[in-house]
Amino acid sequence: MFQTFKKLYQANLTTPIGFYRLFASILHSKTNLMVLLEFAARTYPDRIAIVEGTEQISYKTLYQETQQLAAQLQKEYQFLAGQKVALLCKNHIPFVQSLFALSMLGIDVYLLNVAMNTDQFDFLIKKHAFNAIIHDRNGEKLILTSNFKATCIPTHSSTTGYSIRQLAKQEFPNRYHLKKSSAGKLIILTGGTTGNFKTAVRKPSVFNFLNPFFALLNQLNLGNYRSVYILTPLYHGFGVAALLISIILGVKIILSQHFKAISAGQKMRMHQVEVLVLVPIILQRLLQELQEDPNLFEYNKVILSGGAVLNPTLVQKASSLVPNQLANLYGTSEAGFCVMATSNDLVKFPTSIGKKIKGVSIKIQDNKQQELPFGTVGMLCVKSNWTMSNKTTQWIETGDLAYINSSGYCFLCGRVDDLVISGGVNVYPIELEHILLQHPAVWQAAVIGIPDAEYGQRLKAFVSLQTKSILSASELRIWLKGKISGPQTPKEIVFLEQIPVTSLGKIDKKKLS
């Protein structure tokens, strides 16, 4: 408790003036997300809040413009509490302003994936009947080929009406009464690799946000740092959580709409980035770039990886090249952030996702919903007061197979629908993937189950190679001998130029067959 209080004090959150600012922000902005931005503007007014490309904006200006945006959306578009507005954007300042302004008005905000296809988009339009969509150029392409006929507001420029940038810079008259509201719902898409997306609905609460915040503050010392580069999409739960935590800490947030390792490295040096927020595939590419640029991580102190499985080969490589920096955050759209492995945890258990954070309960259960003992593989279930249900009494089934050891560390064994039963033996494709990735010529690996007349199912491995590497299937089979059991032996090995991944960096197994 003392350490928590000390870290909060260092982050200006438990000083008398800090308490006053937070209390005043809650009174003024109610309990919507704008509380966090108002607190940051009161506490760190002149600090740079966001840098995106050649643009930058201070916390004071970000707050003022977001208030103006909320007023203009209410005045010009009659946005009211309870309406549904979708954000169809990549990472930039107008996205952030729109998110907070809509929350201030009590709007239900839908964070949409710009990489979805037209059929998926039309399905969401029909199902949710959005009152409006705020979009950038990436999202505009989807809208033009869709059936959406309601209000569309571009983020950056418009020849026919207002843009978010224009609205945010328009001062509203002092006599104008802005109708504020408690936060609406925050809806994040989940699934959608093939078929249609599901939605994870969460009622954002400043108070429910505190336990995940304390976990990061205590175990990773995030309050000590002043710059964070968010390289994961803000429309994903991991990205938006990183944004909110960064804002309450008053750090400089670097955003990019597109990722390229060379330009990312330039930004890391230019802004002396101390904290990276990314998915494993981006970490893999940055570590590869490190071979060309030894000073790439010169200022970096913490790497937060999440959104996809972090394989042990990548963990060991990061631990060697950038020691004591990597942490793995596990969560789902429905369950939120719930399990964390620090750099020390990953040194001891490279295959673990860590331990549950304070305020979370986890268990492993079988298909009859009976809790399983330590070391037994089953469905990972989570409950906390910041899950999709916002109920501490309701368990969320994550869809992930896992086990917990006697020390409380959790280990993933893949998705429930990834499980392969070969000759009556449970085989977990993730285990073969981890072994394949240990081969020095292998860049990526994915394993699926395929039908087999003799065993019922066998494994099929897909492999992509490191640049300039040469490896045959027979050579790889020889290398695997002694490293795997009989049921883990792949029936087929297929070499691909690149393993397909989703827009969030997860391997897209639905595209493999």
Side-chain angles (χ1 to χ4, degrees):
M1 179 61 73
F2 174 77
Q3 287 301 319
T4 298
F5 192 85
K6 180 180 178 182
K7 292 175 191 299
L8 289 171
Y9 183 86
Q10 290 169 343
N12 296 315
L13 299 179
T14 55
T15 61
I17 191 66
F19 275 128
Y20 167 76
R21 287 166 179 159
L22 185 58
F23 183 67
S25 298
I26 291 172
L27 285 179
H28 188 252
S29 293
K30 297 196 174 182
T31 57
N32 58 62
L33 294 180
M34 198 67 167
V35 168
L36 304 180
L37 187 53
E38 181 172 345
F39 171 80
R42 290 173 182 268
T43 309
Y44 328 103
D46 299 321
R47 285 189 190 175
I48 296 171
I50 301 176
V51 177
E52 182 228 328
T54 57
E55 280 191 80
Q56 65 181 40
I57 188 169
S58 70
Y59 275 99
K60 179 180 179 181
T61 303
L62 180 62
Y63 174 65
Q64 288 174 340
E65 289 193 2
T66 302
Q67 272 199 309
Q68 289 168 187
L69 174 60
Q72 296 296 346
L73 289 173
Q74 192 175 83
K75 176 173 175 285
E76 298 295 336
Y77 295 94
Q78 290 74 55
F79 279 10
L80 300 172
Q83 289 183 332
K84 300 176 180 181
V85 177
L87 289 180
L88 189 59
C89 310
K90 288 200 172 183
N91 294 7
H92 43 61
I93 293 170
F95 177 104
V96 177
Q97 292 174 321
S98 298
L99 174 65
F100 282 92
L102 293 171
S103 179
M104 188 178 191
L105 297 176
I107 303 292
D108 291 347
V109 184
Y110 289 72
L111 304 183
L112 304 190
N113 186 336
V114 295
M116 75 176 75
N117 60 46
T118 303
D119 289 342
Q120 291 171 324
F121 186 47
D122 281 335
F123 172 82
L124 290 171
I125 290 168
K126 184 177 180 180
K127 181 177 180 181
H128 299 290
F130 304 127
N131 297 97
I133 294 179
I134 294 171
H135 64 88
D136 58 16
R137 293 183 184 88
N138 303 285
E140 185 178 25
K141 298 171 186 176
L142 265 178
I143 293 173
L144 292 174
T145 58
S146 75
N147 297 320
F148 189 69
K149 304 300 180 188
T151 301
C152 290
I153 309 173
T155 54
H156 287 78
S157 62
S158 175
T159 56
T160 57
Y162 295 112
S163 70
I164 294 298
R165 286 168 67 97
Q166 291 169 326
L167 291 170
K169 294 184 182 299
Q170 287 186 18
E171 295 184 15
F172 55 92
N174 291 331
R175 65 180 181 276
Y176 182 77
H177 178 64
L178 178 61
K179 298 175 184 176
K180 301 169 190 173
S181 176
S182 295
K185 300 182 184 72
L186 185 63
I187 298 94
I188 297 168
L189 298 188
T190 181
T193 306
T194 61
N196 294 314
F197 285 92
K198 300 173 185 176
T199 53
V201 182
R202 188 169 280 106
K203 183 84 172 177
S205 164
V206 171
F207 302 105
N208 289 347
F209 169 74
L210 292 178
N211 271 328
F213 174 70
F214 288 157
L216 295 170
L217 201 67
N218 271 330
Q219 297 185 55
L220 303 180
N221 297 315
L222 289 192
N224 294 344
Y225 309 121
R226 287 290 167 261
S227 55
V228 57
Y229 190 178
I230 301 177
L231 284 158
T232 190
L234 294 179
Y235 56 72
H236 186 254
F238 182 38
V240 76
L243 172 70
L244 300 180
I245 289 167
S246 299
I247 283 175
I248 198 170
L249 289 174
V251 302
K252 178 167 66 173
I253 303 164
I254 295 88
L255 298 178
S256 297
Q257 294 190 47
H258 306 281
F259 171 77
K260 289 186 178 178
I262 294 176
S263 60
Q266 292 168 346
K267 289 182 177 68
M268 287 164 65
R269 278 190 300 275
M270 182 187 304
H271 301 292
Q272 299 185 9
V273 169
E274 294 175 290
V275 180
L276 285 172
V277 178
L278 41 67
V279 292
I281 193 169
I282 289 180
L283 174 59
Q284 190 176 22
R285 289 171 181 167
L286 286 175
L287 292 179
Q288 189 178 45
E289 182 66 20
L290 185 62
Q291 297 172 9
E292 304 296 326
D293 183 0
N295 298 318
L296 186 65
F297 289 84
E298 180 179 359
Y299 300 101
N300 209 75
K301 303 294 189 298
V302 177
I303 301 169
L304 299 179
S305 177
V309 175
L310 185 62
N311 74 71
T313 301
L314 186 56
V315 168
Q316 290 163 347
K317 186 173 183 181
S319 298
S320 171
L321 296 174
V322 282
N324 305 316
Q325 293 195 21
L326 182 61
N328 186 35
L329 276 56
Y330 170 84
T332 70
S333 299
E334 296 89 349
F337 166 42
C338 52
V339 179
M340 178 169 67
T342 65
S343 59
N344 289 334
D345 292 331
L346 292 171
V347 168
K348 289 189 290 186
F349 300 109
T351 59
S352 176
I353 58 171
K355 293 183 175 182
K356 67 183 183 69
I357 64 172
K358 187 175 180 180
V360 171
S361 297
I362 62 174
K363 69 175 181 179
I364 306 297
Q365 70 179 32
D366 61 18
N367 55 14
K368 296 179 181 178
Q369 297 186 324
Q370 297 299 307
E371 187 168 358
L372 296 170
F374 290 132
T376 306
V377 176
M379 168 88 77
L380 174 61
C381 301
V382 177
K383 68 177 179 181
S384 72
N385 61 359
W386 60 89
T387 62
M388 182 177 66
S389 65
N390 287 115
K391 295 177 182 176
T392 54
T393 57
Q394 185 169 323
W395 288 97
I396 298 290
E397 295 184 347
T398 65
D400 285 323
L401 291 170
Y403 68 91
I404 301 172
N405 72 9
S406 57
S407 300
Y409 286 94
C410 189
F411 298 79
L412 291 185
C413 299
R415 298 289 294 170
V416 170
D417 49 9
D418 284 346
L419 175 63
V420 172
I421 302 176
S422 183
V425 177
N426 287 355
V427 182
Y428 304 102
I430 194 171
E431 294 177 347
L432 178 57
E433 290 170 0
H434 288 170
I435 292 168
L436 288 167
L437 287 165
Q438 293 173 21
H439 193 289
V442 173
W443 167 250
Q444 289 177 302
V447 178
I448 63 171
I450 56 172
D452 182 80
E454 184 177 1
Y455 292 96
Q457 285 180 294
R458 292 279 304 277
L459 298 183
K460 181 176 181 178
F462 297 84
V463 173
S464 67
L465 299 179
Q466 301 274 4
T467 305
K468 298 180 182 179
S469 293
I470 298 174
L471 183 67
S472 69
S474 59
E475 289 171 330
L476 187 53
R477 286 186 185 280
I478 292 169
W479 180 84
L480 284 170
K481 282 184 178 180
K483 296 179 174 66
I484 57 176
S485 65
Q488 290 177 315
T489 304
K491 182 177 183 179
E492 298 179 45
I493 297 177
V494 177
F495 289 91
L496 298 177
E497 193 168 315
Q498 189 170 358
I499 303 289
V501 295
T502 68
S503 60
L504 299 176
K506 295 181 181 180
I507 289 177
D508 193 347
K509 290 192 176 182
K510 298 290 176 64
K511 290 184 178 178
L512 300 172
S513 60

